[in-house]
Amino acid sequence: FIYGLVGLPVAALGLWRIWRERGPAFPVLAAGILGLAVFYVAVARYSGSDMGIQYHVFSLPFAALATGVGLGLVQDWLGRRSLPPAVRATALGAVIVVMSAQALNVLAGSLTDQGGTSQVCADQVRALSAPVDLIVVSTTSPSTDNGVPNNWQEPIVFFLADRRGWSLAADRHNPTELAADRQQGARWFVAPTPDLLAAGGALADWLRANTTPARSAAADGCDIWRLQPPHPIA
């Protein structure tokens, strides 16, 4: 996520030089490595997957430091080879070009449309609801993972639709949870993954009695229901 195949050996050279010389970069990098080790222990469950690459942003300053020192070492090595300046500049420039091309390739990949079903649902939510409407979005993430509280509040549909509301964890698909969100003001229920709604289940029965279907996954790629306002409490 940070170094890539090209940057890693250059950064390794930089780490070796920083360790050998114990210069001003050494305490900075040492403190950074120690801090990152503690940080990644805290977020390891999330940073270890392809959905957790944002956590690696904190490694960037230290990766840049090691890679820059490594490039300096390569430049010094070329300078001692009695090569013409043009050859040295070309060799060093080639390394930088390859590393930059790799970074640009990653950037280009990040700009491709990866919205999929979430984008379809978001577009339909925007078309059906008012900006002030609160929504509930079904998610495949459970509220606990191996007995540990999980970060299950997925923001994708909310972000793409520019709406606010609540996520419904995969292990909380029951009438009590959805009714509670409706009582708090939710007016739409969105299911990007209809498989979580078992036919004949308690939540499916509750939806038939308390909602109006607005979109069907079979026709539009996303199930959306309009939640009927709760009965006033006497």
Side-chain angles (χ1 to χ4, degrees):
F1 295 133
I2 298 297
Y3 294 102
L5 296 177
V6 179
L8 186 58
V10 179
L13 287 174
L15 289 173
W16 175 78
R17 185 174 193 175
I18 291 171
W19 172 263
R20 185 191 65 181
E21 297 181 352
R22 304 292 209 283
F26 179 77
V28 175
L29 196 60
I33 291 175
L34 179 61
L36 288 171
V38 174
F39 174 75
Y40 283 124
V41 167
V43 301
R45 291 174 57 248
Y46 305 113
S47 65
S49 71
D50 58 350
M51 294 294 288
I53 58 174
Q54 70 271 17
Y55 293 103
H56 298 288
V57 167
F58 299 98
S59 299
L60 284 173
F62 310 104
L65 177 61
T67 304
V69 173
L71 285 174
L73 186 61
V74 172
Q75 183 180 33
D76 293 346
W77 181 84
L78 291 173
R80 293 193 297 270
R81 300 280 79 80
S82 299
L83 299 174
V87 175
R88 294 200 302 268
T90 300
L92 190 61
V95 174
I96 296 175
V97 167
V98 172
M99 293 176 64
S100 300
Q102 177 182 257
L104 289 173
N105 181 59
V106 173
L107 176 61
S110 69
L111 296 177
T112 58
D113 182 10
Q114 300 177 359
T117 302
S118 295
Q119 183 67 65
V120 172
C121 284
D123 291 342
Q124 295 175 7
V125 168
R126 289 176 67 93
L128 287 168
S129 64
V132 296
D133 286 351
L134 299 176
I135 66 174
V136 179
V137 181
S138 169
T139 171
T140 57
S141 297
S143 61
T144 59
D145 185 6
N146 293 324
V148 178
N150 188 35
N151 184 18
W152 51 269
Q153 294 91 345
E154 296 179 2
I156 300 176
V157 172
F158 296 99
F159 174 77
L160 295 175
D162 194 20
R163 295 294 185 271
R164 299 169 60 231
W166 300 267
S167 290
L168 188 64
D171 55 350
R172 294 181 178 177
H173 277 57
N174 59 70
T176 301
E177 294 288 340
L178 189 53
D181 291 336
R182 182 183 67 163
Q183 190 69 38
Q184 294 294 320
R187 291 298 173 259
W188 302 89
F189 177 53
V190 185
T193 309
D195 293 345
L196 291 174
L197 303 174
L203 183 56
D205 292 341
W206 187 91
L207 288 171
R208 281 193 293 271
N210 295 275
T211 69
T212 302
R215 288 288 190 275
S216 168
D220 302 303
C222 184
D223 280 334
I224 301 178
W225 293 266
R226 183 193 298 271
L227 298 175
Q228 299 173 5
H231 298 295
I233 299 176

